[in-house]
Amino acid sequence: MAGGPGGDGAGVESKSLFWSVVMSAFAGTYFHFSCCFFELTCLEQSFWWHSLRLGSHFDDLAPQSYDTGTIGGIMVMTDWLQLFGIFDTSGENLGWYLPTPDQSLVVSILSAGTFFGALLAYPMGDYIGRKWGIIASCAVFSLGVGLQLDTRWATFIVGRVIAGLGVGLVSCLIPMYQSECSPKHLRGAIVGLYQLAITIGALLAAIVLNATKSRPDHSSWRIPIAVQFVWAAILVIGMLVLPESPRFLLKKGREAAGKSALGRLLTRPVDSPEVTAEFDEIMAALEADRQLGSGSYADCFRNTDGKNGLRTWTGILLQGWQQLTGINFIFYYGTTFFKSAGIKNPFIITIICDVVNTATTIVGTQLIDRVGRRRLLLIGAAAYGMCQPLNIRAKAMSLAVASNWLWNFGIGYATPYLVNPSTTGVLGVKTADLGVKVFFIWGSTCAGCFIFTYFFVPETKGLSLEQIDLLYPESSVLNSEKYRARILADNETFVQHVKGAAHEVMESGRQRLNPG
């Protein structure tokens, strides 16, 4: 495997994302059948280890996206509506339907749980670790899924809150783990696979919903919900085999375990030059972070030399902007919207939308390490990167992801009131009744996202996390592309930068003492 967390180790140097996707999907699908399969590939050890890492994380976001895609389809299923909805007696010919307030509640309440889950990800990730935090999150998520199989409205809603708590934890811990354990030349692609997992999860949800929608009993909606147990199980099995983040272990002073994890990720002996160089680089960055302090939530917003405030606000606001693009309108309410528009089989249209979404995401993951994050953001105006110093990374990441879910909750709750027609009668609700005109709102927010990206998002393509720590204090956002190119051209590392700065201080002092 080429490199480790921000490293340049030898190993697989192929940068073909196509084969990474193929093998990661293969590994992610078949890994739980036999771990021994990977032991038989000694000659290609680093390739299969790399595929296992990709494959395991290819499944990481399935719980989140699958649930997002599932609830929108379940809300139009006849059996579910007869169980939780009401029958229209106002003469508007609505038949069985879910009132607008209940629509808002059942969709958005998951995001309320994810908001608090994302905030709790910091103590979980920093105290019990990234790896075991992810495993514990899957247990929380599975409890929530089980409660959603109940036929009582209150239990169903509580289940969505608990499932959301698990999703919030996972959605923060996984990109943190990925960015700390990924080779820098593929980090963008691996984080891109995080997004690809979201789109594939939504596509799978649409396919399962279409297959079960005509069942005449509770299995029509229980099967799509129960499938989520599979995603949690695959993720747990994969994480049990993968090592803990070496950056987390070294931060906790567990140097032997950290070196061992680095050796596994680099597929090199613990005492090899590659592991030693990687170890020294991370330790130098950790020492610099320790001198700054442990890093409180307030530190995330301070205008330090490392520009913590800019980095934290960039993550928070990018999460908000990407929610405001309106994509979750299609994920959450697409099937309901298409049905209200008179489409005979709205489930098929939802599948088509998800296929398009998945295809364009595959293109995006191919481009992220070729075109660059900043340029791709300007083109698509929707994504974000991991750029935080280690001493505040968990806190800043939790704030950014919590921002995502807070906006997700707001949009999920408000959308029915924006789009649905007003109803009359005892349970009548007055709405904006925008219908398709709601897309004018999404279009204007995409324009705002473009402007924000241009002025506040630097280019970090090809840089290790430690090199990103150099870029922020030494460069402006608009000049980040030039400074990034200089770092790569000089192959400047954090250790070299620290030594160079110390040498300059010594030379300056010597010149003051000996001006002649």
Side-chain angles (χ1 to χ4, degrees):
M1 188 197 76
D8 300 295
V12 177
E13 293 296 337
S14 171
K15 298 183 181 180
S16 170
L17 184 60
F18 172 77
W19 286 111
S20 294
V21 171
V22 170
M23 294 314 302
S24 67
F26 181 86
T29 304
Y30 292 100
F31 165 73
H32 60 292
F33 288 112
S34 177
C35 294
C36 297
F37 174 81
F38 295 98
E39 298 299 326
L40 302 177
T41 57
C42 297
L43 295 178
E44 297 293 333
Q45 179 185 8
S46 57
F47 177 72
W48 285 106
W49 177 245
H50 186 49
S51 300
L52 172 57
R53 289 171 61 201
L54 285 170
S56 179
H57 291 299
F58 200 67
D59 176 66
D60 289 347
L61 262 289
Q64 169 193 332
S65 57
Y66 185 91
D67 182 275
T68 301
T70 298
I71 192 62
I74 285 176
M75 287 194 302
V76 299
M77 287 186 174
T78 301
D79 183 79
W80 193 87
L81 286 174
Q82 290 176 350
L83 186 63
F84 296 123
I86 62 174
F87 189 81
D88 175 39
T89 58
S90 65
E92 297 180 14
N93 298 319
L94 297 177
W96 286 99
Y97 77 102
L98 194 66
T100 296
D102 289 346
Q103 273 192 37
S104 294
L105 176 65
V106 75
V107 170
S108 64
I109 200 66
L110 179 96
S111 298
T114 55
F115 172 78
F116 292 103
L119 292 178
L120 290 172
Y122 148 63
M124 181 174 283
D126 262 15
Y127 288 107
I128 73 172
R130 280 56 159 155
K131 172 180 176 175
W132 292 105
I134 292 171
I135 292 173
S137 302
C138 289
V140 175
F141 173 77
S142 297
L143 173 62
V145 170
L147 291 176
Q148 289 179 73
L149 300 177
D150 197 77
T151 57
R152 290 168 292 183
W153 178 251
T155 307
F156 190 90
I157 295 299
V158 170
R160 287 191 58 76
V161 174
I162 295 176
L165 192 68
V167 169
L169 289 165
V170 166
S171 64
C172 182
L173 292 171
I174 285 173
M176 191 186 305
Y177 180 89
Q178 286 176 320
S179 66
E180 292 181 356
C181 297
S182 305
K184 64 183 181 182
H185 75 272
L186 279 179
R187 191 177 67 248
I190 291 173
V191 175
L193 287 177
Y194 178 94
Q195 178 61 32
L196 184 59
I198 291 177
T199 60
I200 290 180
L203 175 60
L204 290 175
I207 293 172
V208 173
L209 287 167
N210 187 60
T212 65
K213 68 179 188 297
S214 299
R215 285 174 169 263
D217 53 23
H218 296 342
S219 65
S220 61
W221 54 272
R222 277 178 166 169
I223 290 175
I225 292 175
V227 167
Q228 295 174 98
F229 286 122
V230 177
W231 311 135
I234 294 175
L235 180 52
V236 167
I237 294 171
M239 290 306 304
L240 288 173
V241 174
L242 293 171
E244 178 58 271
S245 163
R247 281 179 171 83
F248 166 78
L249 293 172
L250 294 177
K251 180 183 178 183
K252 293 297 182 181
R254 298 164 59 185
E255 294 188 7
K259 275 192 173 182
S260 176
L262 278 173
R264 291 182 64 188
L265 292 172
L266 292 166
T267 61
R268 293 288 184 272
V270 173
D271 57 353
S272 67
E274 294 88 352
V275 173
T276 300
E278 195 74 34
F279 174 83
D280 291 342
E281 178 80 357
I282 296 173
M283 290 302 292
L286 279 172
E287 182 57 34
D289 283 337
R290 287 191 184 105
Q291 293 177 5
L292 295 175
S294 61
S296 64
Y297 274 106
D299 290 331
C300 297
F301 298 96
R302 289 198 172 101
N303 189 24
T304 62
D305 291 338
K307 299 182 181 178
N308 287 358
L310 172 64
R311 297 159 85 163
T312 300
W313 280 115
T314 297
I316 289 174
L317 293 176
L318 272 179
Q319 291 280 22
W321 283 116
Q322 64 107 1
Q323 286 294 325
L324 289 168
T325 59
I327 184 60
N328 277 336
F329 168 69
I330 297 297
F331 282 156
Y332 281 143
Y333 297 106
T335 309
T336 305
F337 180 76
F338 298 140
K339 181 181 179 181
S340 65
I343 295 175
K344 185 176 180 180
N345 191 344
F347 291 91
I348 293 297
I349 304 301
T350 301
I351 290 175
I352 293 172
C353 290
D354 288 327
V355 167
V356 172
N357 190 29
T358 302
T360 52
T361 302
I362 292 174
V363 174
T365 54
Q366 283 279 8
L367 295 176
I368 194 168
D369 272 325
R370 300 181 184 184
V371 176
R373 282 78 157 155
R374 174 178 165 83
R375 191 174 302 170
L376 199 60
L377 266 171
L378 290 171
I379 295 171
Y384 83 104
M386 269 289 298
C387 309
Q388 302 297 341
L390 189 57
N391 70 319
I392 65 165
R393 183 173 299 145
K395 298 181 183 71
M397 186 67 186
S398 70
L399 288 170
V401 176
S403 168
N404 171 75
W405 294 117
L406 184 62
W407 282 102
N408 194 295
F409 170 81
I411 292 171
Y413 191 86
T415 296
Y417 291 95
L418 293 173
V419 178
N420 290 356
S422 298
T423 55
T424 59
V426 177
L427 298 176
V429 176
K430 180 68 176 177
T431 66
D433 195 14
L434 291 178
V436 296
K437 292 193 264 317
V438 74
F439 284 97
F440 286 108
I441 296 177
W442 311 140
S444 62
T445 52
C446 284
C449 185
F450 179 95
I451 295 170
F452 176 83
T453 299
Y454 183 81
F455 288 104
F456 294 99
V457 181
E459 180 56 75
T460 61
K461 172 188 172 185
L463 299 180
S464 70
L465 298 182
E466 286 70 34
Q467 287 171 325
I468 292 173
D469 284 343
L470 300 180
L471 181 143
Y472 265 96
E474 301 292 336
S475 173
S476 67
V477 170
L478 296 180
N479 291 324
S480 60
E481 178 63 42
K482 292 181 181 178
Y483 190 80
R484 181 197 68 87
R486 198 195 85 185
I487 291 177
L488 294 176
D490 297 341
N491 196 27
E492 183 177 8
T493 65
F494 195 91
V495 173
Q496 292 170 345
H497 184 83
V498 171
K499 289 180 178 179
H503 179 73
E504 289 179 5
V505 171
M506 292 176 63
E507 284 296 319
S508 176
R510 188 178 295 113
Q511 290 176 7
R512 285 196 301 269
L513 292 173
N514 302 288

